[in-house]
Amino acid sequence: MAERTNALTKARDAVWHPTSASLRFLALLGVLGNAGIVATGGAVRVTKSGLGCPEWPKCTGDSLTPTHSPDHGAVNMAIEFGNRMLTFLVLAVGVLVFVAAWRLRPRRRDLVWWAAAQPLSVVAQAVIGGIVVLTKLHPASVSLHFLVSPALLIFCVALWARASEGDDRPRHLVAPYVRNLSRALVAAAAAVLIAGTVVTGTGPHAGDADSRRYGFNIENVARVHSGLAWITVALTVVLLVTLIRTGAPTAARRRAVELVAIELAQGALGYIQYFMGVPAPLVVLHMLGAVLMWIAALRILFALRDRGPVPATEPVPAQKHQAPQPA
C-alpha cells in the first residue's frame, strides 16, 4: 500500500510540482498517445468497424456505450468504441501536459502555448471524428480525420524538444542551405502522408462495406504515393550525407540515420502490402510507420539548433493563508 501511495504521490507531483524532466516525460506520453491513436484508427478501418458506433457523440441511440444492435456486430462496436475511449485518454494526457507546463517554474511561455494546443487539438479531432460518422465515412472526412493527427504531433514533438533545451536565442549549428534542405524534407514527408490518405481512400479498406470511395485508379494513386516516398528518401539521404560532410552535430546525424531506417522499413512494408493485395494487418503497421516517419522528420529540425541549457526548476510557491482577524 505504501509503495502504491508513493507512486501516486510521484505522479501527482510530476504534474502539480513539475520539473523539466517530468514535463519532458509527459510530453513524450503525448507523442506516444497520438501515434497510438493512428494505429487504433487503422484497426477501425481494416476491421470495417467505422460505423460500429453509428451515432455521435453517443454510440447507439440513447446509449453512450455499445448496446445490442442487429445492424452492427459486437466486435465492431467494441473496436470503434475503444478507439473513441483512447481519444479521451489522449485528451487527459494533453490536459496534464498543459497543467504541468503552466505550473513549471520559471514559467516558460512558449512551452505553455505548445502544451495548450494539445487538448484543444484533441477536441477538434473528436469533432472531426463525429463528422466522419455523420457523413457515413466519406473518404474526404476520413482523410481529414487522419491528417489532424500528424498536425497535432507537430505540437507534441515541439513541446518534447523544447522541454529538453533552454530559452536562449536559437544558435544554428548548420549552414542555411542545410536548414532549407531539412525543411524541404519535412514538406516532402507531409506530401507522402497526404497522398497516403488518397491511396487508403481509394483502396479496399473503407471502414465499412457500404462506404464511398474515391473514384481514382488505385494503381495510379499508389504510383504517385510511391514516387513521393522515394523523393522523401532521396532528400533524407542527401541531408544525411550533407550533415556528415559538413561535420554537423552527432545528434543531427543520428536523427537522419533513424529517419532513413524508418523510411526503408516503411517502403519495404508498402511494397509487400501492395503485392499481397493490401492485407489488413500490414495496413495498420504502414499507418503507424507513416506517423513514426513524420515524428523522425520533425525531430531533425530541432537537432539543427542550440538554445542553451535547460533552466533550473524552482519550487512552486505555496499559497499563503492568513490567520482570521478578530472582529
Side-chain angles (χ1 to χ4, degrees):
M1 177 64 73
E3 292 181 358
R4 181 180 180 183
T5 302
N6 188 44
L8 291 175
T9 301
K10 289 182 178 180
R12 180 204 64 194
D13 289 344
V15 176
W16 201 245
H17 302 290
T19 63
S20 296
S22 68
L23 180 58
R24 285 196 299 272
F25 177 73
L26 290 170
L28 175 60
L29 290 182
V31 174
L32 296 177
N34 282 279
I37 205 168
V38 170
T40 60
V44 170
R45 286 188 71 106
V46 300
T47 58
K48 295 182 172 58
S49 302
L51 294 177
C53 286
E55 303 295 333
W56 188 88
K58 296 181 178 180
C59 184
T60 55
D62 296 328
S63 176
L64 181 64
T65 59
T67 57
H68 175 72
S69 172
D71 300 323
H72 303 280
V75 173
N76 298 115
M77 296 180 77
I79 292 174
E80 166 60 11
F81 185 72
N83 187 58
R84 291 189 183 188
M85 290 301 98
L86 183 58
T87 300
F88 286 103
L89 178 60
V90 175
L91 174 61
V93 171
V95 171
L96 294 177
V97 166
F98 172 70
V99 172
W102 180 264
R103 297 277 300 175
L104 187 70
R105 295 294 185 275
R107 181 173 293 160
R108 303 172 62 186
R109 183 170 299 180
D110 64 330
L111 267 62
V112 174
W113 284 113
W114 285 119
Q118 295 189 30
L120 295 176
S121 299
V122 175
V123 172
Q125 178 77 306
V127 172
I128 296 172
I131 295 173
V132 170
V133 173
L134 297 177
T135 58
K136 304 301 180 183
L137 307 186
H138 189 284
S141 62
V142 174
S143 296
L144 178 62
H145 193 40
F146 169 82
L147 291 173
V148 169
S149 290
L152 176 54
L153 276 166
I154 295 175
F155 304 114
C156 297
V157 173
L159 178 63
W160 184 28
R162 286 289 293 117
S164 303
E165 58 187 16
D167 295 324
D168 296 346
R169 187 179 182 85
R171 180 172 65 87
H172 299 299
L173 304 176
V174 295
Y177 76 91
V178 181
R179 299 200 302 273
N180 290 334
L181 181 59
S182 67
R183 296 186 187 107
L185 170 60
V186 171
V192 172
L193 292 176
I194 295 171
T197 66
V198 178
V199 174
T200 306
T202 306
H205 298 295
D208 187 82
D210 299 325
S211 297
R212 291 178 55 186
R213 317 301 296 132
Y214 288 127
F216 305 119
N217 181 284
I218 184 62
E219 292 187 356
N220 291 337
V221 293
R223 288 192 185 99
V224 172
H225 178 57
S226 176
L228 290 171
W230 279 114
I231 291 174
T232 305
V233 172
L235 285 172
T236 308
V237 172
V238 171
L239 177 62
L240 174 58
V241 172
T242 303
L243 292 173
I244 294 173
R245 290 179 61 86
T246 57
T250 302
R253 286 178 281 165
R254 186 185 304 119
R255 298 287 176 268
V257 170
E258 292 170 356
L259 180 55
V260 170
I262 293 172
E263 288 171 344
L264 293 179
Q266 181 75 339
L269 184 60
Y271 281 110
I272 291 172
Q273 70 172 0
Y274 178 77
F275 289 113
M276 290 183 64
V278 201
L282 295 186
V283 173
V284 177
L285 288 177
H286 197 59
M287 292 178 67
L288 179 60
V291 174
L292 294 178
M293 177 199 71
W294 178 242
I295 294 171
L298 292 174
R299 293 186 72 196
I300 291 177
L301 293 178
F302 293 98
L304 301 181
R305 52 85 178 288
D306 177 66
R307 299 196 65 170
V310 179
T313 306
E314 300 173 1
V316 178
Q319 295 286 342
K320 295 181 179 180
H321 299 281
Q322 294 183 347
Q325 300 296 322

